[in-house]
Amino acid sequence: MSELTWQKSTFSGGPQGECLFIATAPDGTMRLRESDEPRTVIVTGPEGLAALLGHVRGPRGPRTT
């Protein structure tokens, strides 16, 4: 597998340093990982990621608490 370029989410980096990273693989799939478990990677397509973000945001946008 080729080396992925990971980007940190703009919502990451709270006081505990918890970060979410995302990368796009050459085949177009999206890869997600957390800073606490960098070897655990979730693989999804753009539609799956959009569905996840829509669920997290809910009808009112992202939660702040």
Side-chain angles (χ1 to χ4, degrees):
M1 180 197 308
S2 64
E3 189 68 31
L4 298 174
T5 302
W6 293 94
Q7 294 181 295
K8 185 167 75 168
S9 168
T10 58
F11 291 101
S12 295
Q16 290 80 26
E18 299 167 348
C19 299
L20 177 69
F21 292 87
I22 188 168
T24 303
D27 65 359
T29 58
M30 312 299 287
R31 311 295 169 99
L32 301 166
R33 71 179 188 191
E34 288 187 297
S35 57
D36 293 345
E37 294 289 334
R39 292 184 181 171
T40 302
V41 178
I42 296 172
V43 179
T44 188
E47 298 84 11
L49 180 58
L52 173 66
L53 293 175
H55 179 75
V56 171
R57 288 182 183 139
R60 297 185 182 165
R63 294 182 181 175
T64 57
T65 57

